[in-house]
Every structure is written in structure tokens, then in C-alpha cells.
Amino acid sequence: MSDGHWHSTPFDDDKLKEECGIFGVVGVAEAANFTALGLHALQHRGQEAGGIVVHHPEQGFNSVRRFGYVRDNFTDQDTMDMLPGSLAIGHVRYSTSGSKGATAIRDVQPFFGEFAMGGAAIAHNGNITNAEALRRELIERGSIFQSSSDSECIIHLMARSLQRNIPERMKDALRRVEGAFSVVAMTRTKLIGVRDPLGVRPLVLGRVADGWALASETCALDIIGAEFVREIEPGEMVVISEAEGVVSHRPFEAKRPRFCIFEHVYFSRPDSILGGRSVYSTREAIGRELAKEAPVDADLVCPVPDSGTPAAIGYGLESGIPYAMGIIRNQYMGRTFIEPTESIRNMGVRLKLNVNRALVRGKRIILVDDSVVRGTTSRKIKEMILDAGAKEVHFRIASPPTAWPCFYGVDTPQREKLLAATMSEEEMRAHLGVDSLRFISLDGLYRAVGEAQGRDPSAPQYCDACFSGEYPVEPMDQLQRGFRLKAAE
């Protein structure tokens, strides 16, 4: 992960990391157990640490925060006994803001605050683009910060609000915040969910037994047997209680939504539903579109597992070239293995992936992956395939070139480390040493997610800043640090 230890093997180093998964439940016995299950289903959104906060009428608020996987921290009875109550929220994280590589337990969400009208806890997925300015202002006015996380600003803004109840204080706070935020929060009796006006990051509502659940993705509702009700809409705040059910508010002025298109490409689990569309079907459609845009004569279409699999299936179906598992993933590669020497560290990909030699020998192979970020992994995989005797290697990438960093809750390298920021497609092909390299076009990606006319350049339907360099919210903190936006054409 991001702590610089060797166990971030090169295989996963070259993927963009979604920063967080959030989950909340109200009106069910043993809410913490439901939350642990929900977070387990969202583990792909953050593997660094997790936390759960609960409220019980007699025992008040309790929380447990731990480094590592949900399954290692929130499955033993002793831990879960510390978390009684019928109302809980939880969070899994991969740090984007805050101290990189030196995460302290105090940075692990949910964050808790005690206010005049009682306590509240909050968990946030996204990134606040004016967090540094807000933090400076709050510290000058006497706020004392416990963590390095941008999300803590929300708690301090709530504390300073003059509103009479916590949902109103939260509205006050979030109106000061810029960037991307999907939030779950809780008071002693209420579960609260909010999406920012652009709806960049996801949040869904489900019905579970006599209660309600909020989650980053529908796969977290599936695991607890909850019925998916609907998405929380961009700019909507829902306040949910056992007494009143779901009450919807509109605290922000309405804007045209700009959901993150990369959720469709990579972040979300393929068994989730986004915007009424199956993520798996969308990824298969991306593969079909790619086969139309970038055909090539070859013997086999092979995914880079697991993220390239649905697109590779789509490419195979559209092109008529057989789909095959040319690369096999070792499912049991944990985060830490042995403390390796440099020579073993360089074999990192082999620990996670192995080539199906008998299948690829002598063949012309199309490798389908979801993205190329730095290109480090792509080169290693290409070498493995050629070492196994493949005749040709053609890369087909199920997203446009990633040329710009994301400031809305995704961990992106600095711009100069993104291969596509400094190289043309042909230069990237030469750098990776493959027979051909093609990315899906931005219009092709939009068609695959259901926009038949492609991307509307005057009013893009999604946030695609990582591909286009067009940021729907100006990244204030980054601009003050000298980040330069794309020049207007």
C-alpha cells in the first residue's frame, strides 16, 4: 500500500487507488456486524486501515480503528462486543490526503466530535480541494486538529456552526467545502448520507430488515442481504432514523452532475450497479468498443487479471478472436510475504501473476488491461509473456491515456510520473516494447457507458479530468502549490 514497504509489489503499484469505502446502517440489531460485512465487500476501495463507530442508548458512542484488512480486525467476538448498538458507520481507507506513507491511527476514520447537542461521527470518501485553506483558517480561529486528514475539517466546521441540530450544522460545514465528497455520518439517533453537488463519488441507499443502509457501492448491500433502493442523488442529503425513516434535503444549489467515469472503468466492483448500469456490462461494452476502434490480427485475447477481464471478454466477443486466460493470478498473495532481498523484490509480479506458458507459446497475444499509469507493470507483464514464447504482444487499454492527476479522492502520481503526460501513444508503445498499443478514445468510453453520441465537449456528462485535464472543481490547494491547469484550447 502507500507505506513504502516492499509488500506493495510492483503489480499493484501501477494502478490508481480509490481512496475509500464508506458504509452505515441504522435500525438493525448488531449494527457493527453489518458494517464489518459491508466494509469487507468494499475492501477493494481501501486496504490500509478501517474503522467502525457505533452508538448504544446506554453505552453511548464506541469506536474501533485498526490498520490492515477488515477480515483481520473486525471478525473476532471480543472486538465486536466492544461495538454494541443498532446504529453504526464505518470506513476503509487508502490515504490520498494526509501523511503519505506514515499514516497514524489518528488519521483513520470515522472521525468523532462531541458537540453541545451531543456527539457525531463522520466518514468521508473523496477529497476536499480547499482543505489546506480551511485548515489554516480554522487553526487561526483556535481549532485543534488531531489528524492530517482533509476530512477532519468537516468536524471542525460543524463545531463552529451556530445551527441548533447536527444535520443543520453539517449542511453549514459542507457548504464551505469544495471538491468531492460522499459522506456518511451519525448522531445518537440518526444516520446521515450526503453527496456533493456534482456527485463525483458514489453513495447508495438500501433497505435491510427493518432498517436502512448507506454504502459506496451496491455490492456492500448484497453481502448483508439488503435491497438496493436507489442512489443518493448529487447534492442530496438524507437523514435516516428509526422513528422517521428517510428524509431528503437539498442543501446545495443544483448543478449538472459529473460522476467519476473511472468508477465504471476500474474502481467499482464488477458486480455493482452504477447509475442503473451493471459495472460488468459496461466494462464488457468498453471491450467491444475497443475492438471496433483498434482491431488487430491475433490468436488470443487475454486479460491482465482481474481488472482487465470483463473488457477482454467484450473484445473477444466483438472481434471473434478467442478469449483465453493467458495470465493466471495467485489468489492467496497476501500483503506481506517474506522480507525479500532486492533480487526477490524484482520478481514481485511473479508472486501475483504467472503466465500460462502452454497456452501462449507461439501465439500472437492481445493483452487487455484497464489502464496504464506509470507503465512499470505493463513492461513486466510484456516481458513475462515474451519469455513464455509468445510471438507478438499487442496491448489494448480499456481507458483513454491517464495524463492528469485526480484531486477528488483518487491517489494519482504527480503528473510528470504519468506515462501519458510526457509521451505520445507511439512513444509509449516503444517504451513498453510491444508490437502495438491502443487506448480506447474518450468518445468510445462515453459510448460504452451509455452516451450514444459520445462526450459532449461543451458540457461533459462525467468527471474525466484524469483523461481530459478538465477539472469540474478548481483544485485550489494544488493551484496554490503551483499546479498548472491545461491551457484553454
Side-chain angles (χ1 to χ4, degrees):
M1 299 316 309
S2 70
D3 54 4
H5 290 161
W6 93 276
H7 60 224
S8 55
T9 66
F11 174 65
D12 276 343
D13 261 4
D14 203 30
K15 293 290 178 205
L16 296 184
K17 305 286 198 309
E18 164 66 77
E19 90 156 340
C20 298
I22 54 178
F23 189 89
V25 66
V26 62
V28 294
E30 299 178 351
N33 286 340
F34 281 93
T35 303
L37 283 166
L39 293 179
H40 175 68
L42 297 171
Q43 190 79 82
H44 59 288
R45 299 182 78 86
Q47 291 113 53
E48 193 173 67
I52 295 176
V53 176
V54 296
H55 185 268
H56 184 276
E58 276 107 60
Q59 297 180 40
F61 286 94
N62 281 293
S63 73
V64 173
R65 296 187 279 180
R66 298 268 194 274
F67 288 119
Y69 289 149
V70 175
R71 64 162 189 247
D72 297 331
N73 291 318
F74 294 100
T75 46
D76 67 280
Q77 202 52 52
D78 290 349
T79 302
M80 301 318 285
D81 286 346
M82 294 158 61
L83 295 167
S86 62
L87 174 54
I89 62 169
H91 187 270
V92 284
R93 91 187 290 267
Y94 173 85
S95 62
T96 56
S97 73
S99 47
K100 267 283 185 302
T103 303
I105 201 75
R106 65 173 185 266
D107 290 331
V108 179
Q109 298 184 44
F111 292 127
F112 178 78
E114 196 70 69
F115 304 111
M117 70 286 291
I122 184 168
H124 164 225
N125 170 26
N127 239 23
I128 296 169
T129 53
N130 63 338
E132 287 170 23
L134 286 173
R135 195 183 183 96
R136 279 195 302 272
E137 176 195 319
L138 286 159
I139 287 171
E140 279 168 15
R141 292 186 179 180
S143 290
I144 299 167
F145 277 76
Q146 301 287 318
S147 79
S148 66
S149 169
D150 61 339
S151 314
E152 196 186 342
C153 288
I154 300 170
I155 285 278
H156 289 288
L157 289 167
M158 286 170 69
R160 301 195 83 87
S161 165
L162 302 174
Q163 298 294 336
R164 294 295 167 90
N165 64 44
I166 288 170
E168 290 301 320
R169 286 188 172 216
M170 203 162 149
K171 288 180 190 175
D172 261 9
L174 293 176
R175 286 182 188 123
R176 295 282 324 275
V177 163
E178 294 169 10
F181 50 89
S182 278
V183 166
V184 293
M186 62 184 279
T187 68
R188 288 171 295 194
T189 58
K190 294 180 172 70
L191 175 66
I192 302 167
V194 194
R195 279 179 83 189
D196 71 73
L198 296 177
V200 177
R201 305 252 71 87
L203 191 63
V204 297
L205 173 69
R207 189 87 166 107
V208 54
D210 294 329
W212 299 89
L214 291 168
S216 291
E217 288 181 48
T218 59
C219 63
L221 301 178
D222 295 338
I223 199 173
I224 60 166
E227 176 198 352
F228 170 52
V229 177
R230 64 179 180 86
E231 295 187 358
I232 303 304
E233 290 177 20
E236 182 184 17
M237 173 191 232
V238 290
V239 180
I240 311 170
S241 60
E242 289 185 58
E244 295 176 35
V246 180
V247 181
S248 175
H249 302 259
R250 294 284 177 173
F252 314 103
E253 67 177 75
K255 294 186 176 171
R256 281 199 60 187
R258 296 284 295 273
F259 184 60
C260 166
I261 202 161
F262 216 80
E263 289 279 357
H264 285 289
V265 173
Y266 176 67
F267 298 135
S268 295
R269 251 175 50 171
D271 50 335
S272 284
I273 307 286
L274 286 179
R277 294 176 65 83
S278 146
V279 174
Y280 178 91
S281 302
T282 295
R283 287 179 190 163
E284 189 186 287
I286 292 172
R288 287 178 178 274
E289 199 64 45
L290 195 49
K292 289 179 200 163
E293 289 188 354
V296 62
D297 263 349
D299 302 307
L300 295 174
V301 178
C302 302
V304 176
D306 291 317
S307 50
T309 302
I313 290 169
Y315 194 104
L317 288 169
E318 185 65 36
S319 64
I321 299 168
Y323 165 88
M325 291 176 68
I327 302 170
I328 307 298
R329 182 167 191 158
N330 175 5
Q331 302 297 340
Y332 299 99
M333 171 67 198
R335 285 191 5 146
T336 38
F337 191 49
I338 45 181
E339 197 55 50
T341 58
E342 188 62 34
S343 62
I344 289 182
R345 188 164 26 242
N346 289 336
M347 293 161 48
V349 173
R350 303 290 166 102
L351 288 172
K352 287 211 167 171
L353 297 177
N354 193 32
V355 177
N356 190 346
R357 288 175 172 271
L359 183 76
V360 306
R361 190 177 293 119
K363 300 282 198 324
R364 299 167 299 168
I365 305 292
I366 299 170
L367 281 180
V368 180
D369 204 354
D370 59 89
S371 57
V372 172
V373 182
R374 295 182 192 83
T376 45
T377 305
S378 306
R379 285 180 81 163
K380 284 194 167 71
I381 289 171
K382 177 264 310 189
E383 282 158 18
M384 285 166 59
I385 294 271
L386 288 175
D387 287 349
K391 198 152 94 183
E392 295 174 9
V393 179
H394 301 272
F395 258 116
R396 292 295 178 269
I397 311 301
S399 62
T402 306
W404 295 85
C406 172
F407 302 124
Y408 307 129
V410 176
D411 184 46
T412 332
Q414 290 154 316
R415 180 149 199 253
E416 54 275 17
K417 292 206 174 117
L418 295 166
L419 214 56
T422 55
M423 293 186 190
S424 68
E425 202 168 277
E426 173 53 32
E427 286 168 334
M428 281 192 266
R429 185 205 63 74
H431 173 77
L432 296 175
V434 289
D435 293 282
S436 74
L437 167 71
R438 290 288 302 277
F439 296 81
I440 194 171
S441 67
L442 199 45
D443 273 335
L445 177 58
Y446 270 76
R447 284 193 293 272
V449 297
E451 298 289 342
Q453 305 304 310
R455 183 180 190 263
D456 178 352
S458 62
Q461 303 92 315
Y462 286 86
C463 177
D464 54 24
C466 53
F467 307 132
S468 67
E470 294 175 26
Y471 292 92
V473 180
E474 280 212 340
M476 286 307 300
D477 291 344
Q478 298 296 330
L479 293 173
Q480 284 171 354
R481 282 192 199 153
F483 178 77
R484 298 183 55 179
L485 292 171
K486 181 173 160 182
E489 290 172 10

